[in-house]
Amino acid sequence: MIKIDFAKGNGLVPVIVQDYRSLEVLMMAYMNREAWTKTQKTGKAHYYSRSRKGMWLKGEESGHYQEVKDVRIDCDNDTLLLRVKQRGEGACHLGYRSCFFRKKAERSWKTTARRSFNPGQVYKNASKDERK
Amino acid sequence: MIKIDFAKGNGLVPVIVQDYRSLEVLMMAYMNREAWTKTQKTGKAHYYSRSRKGMWLKGEESGHYQEVKDVRIDCDNDTLLLRVKQRGEGACHLGYRSCFFRKKAERSWKTTARRSFNPGQVYKNASKDERK
């Protein structure tokens, strides 16, 4: 019987979120047991915000929901991988499709993607959505 | 100036590792500053083992090294994404190419991949390599 090991991370597991078609990694977040239950019940990704100390529905403010297509668990039962259909223009609160929009170059990190939406129009309070 | 935020995770950042061609997520691990420096210098992925409390070179026992093709950083500067060329038969110490070889089904987790190697032949001490 495989059980998600929430204990190792003090009640939280890291969750990698990947676009179900392109396999682009969109973001990383955390789930507690409540977020995991809610995600299964609704089919929409819910996470736990360490800064706000509570569960949140991804997209509740932006409309950028994530429909969960499948969920995988790693060999240690302590990390989840979600493949999702990303609703709206992107997953990143800074306006990009993926949170991983910067790539290491010789002496700096280079932005390699274009903004797909204006975060100021989507998030009333951008800092509020920095929820990890 | 973008700096990796090692402080938030008490000296560690989570690292998502993806096959650079197929974009399959192979594993998740952690790096401390030392592992990050060593990875940059050698081009081979080094991680930090929370259970063994030290840096390790992925593949040091199995020969399954990871050549780093590129590195991305997320919007909060606290998570890294590596795209790697996986040497050998796989990343997972249980003998699979990816650590995420089980998928959620109705009431259980179903194994969706075949073992690509025999971990007993590759790791003298399989439990030793459970390093997160």
Side-chain angles (χ1 to χ4, degrees), chain A residues 1-4 8-9 14-18 22-25 27-28 30 36 40 50 70-81 83 92-94 98-107 109-110 112 130-132, chain B residues 1-4 8-9 14-18 22-25 27-28 30 36 40 50 70-81 83 92-94 98-107 109-110 112 130-132:
Chain A
M1 179 70 177
I2 298 157
K3 285 196 173 179
I4 302 174
K8 200 189 270 178
V15 182
I16 302 166
V17 188
Q18 194 174 26
S22 70
L23 302 188
E24 180 183 27
V25 174
M27 56 185 274
M28 212 206 66
Y30 293 85
W36 168 239
Q40 286 183 284
R50 296 179 300 175
D70 64 57
V71 185
R72 284 151 216 260
I73 191 166
D74 82 335
C75 48
D76 296 330
N77 302 332
D78 63 4
T79 306
L80 296 178
L81 171 63
R83 290 193 176 162
C92 180
H93 76 291
L94 295 182
S98 163
C99 294
F100 295 91
F101 58 86
R102 293 165 306 173
K103 196 157 114 175
K104 187 81 177 76
E106 194 65 37
R107 290 175 195 285
W109 296 86
K110 289 255 163 73
T112 56
E130 207 165 341
R131 281 169 170 149
K132 285 194 305 187
Chain B
M1 177 70 175
I2 297 157
K3 286 195 174 180
I4 301 174
K8 199 188 271 181
V15 182
I16 302 164
V17 187
Q18 196 175 25
S22 70
L23 302 188
E24 180 183 26
V25 174
M27 57 185 274
M28 213 206 66
Y30 292 86
W36 169 238
Q40 286 184 283
R50 296 180 299 175
D70 65 56
V71 186
R72 285 150 216 260
I73 191 167
D74 83 335
C75 48
D76 296 329
N77 302 332
D78 63 6
T79 306
L80 296 178
L81 172 63
R83 290 194 177 161
C92 180
H93 76 290
L94 295 183
S98 161
C99 294
F100 296 92
F101 58 86
R102 293 166 306 174
K103 197 156 113 175
K104 187 81 177 78
E106 195 64 38
R107 292 175 193 284
W109 296 87
K110 290 256 162 73
T112 56
E130 208 165 339
R131 281 168 168 150
K132 284 193 304 186

Side-chain angles (χ1 to χ4, degrees), chain A residues 62-66 85-91 96-97 116-117:
Chain A
S62 62
H64 298 172
Y65 301 103
Q66 294 175 336
K85 180 167 191 170
Q86 176 67 56
R87 290 293 178 186
E89 290 84 9
Y96 296 89
R97 179 155 175 84
S116 53
F117 64 96

Side-chain angles (χ1 to χ4, degrees), chain B residues 15-62:
Chain B
V15 182
I16 302 164
V17 187
Q18 196 175 25
D19 183 285
Y20 82 113
R21 275 187 304 207
S22 70
L23 302 188
E24 180 183 26
V25 174
L26 298 172
M27 57 185 274
M28 213 206 66
Y30 292 86
M31 281 187 190
N32 62 354
R33 197 181 294 277
E34 186 193 7
W36 169 238
T37 303
K38 199 83 180 172
T39 297
Q40 286 184 283
K41 273 196 188 147
T42 62
K44 283 182 180 165
H46 290 67
Y47 302 108
Y48 180 87
S49 164
R50 296 180 299 175
S51 55
R52 302 201 308 159
K53 299 192 197 314
M55 193 183 65
W56 58 290
L57 164 62
K58 171 71 187 166
E60 64 188 345
E61 189 180 354
S62 61

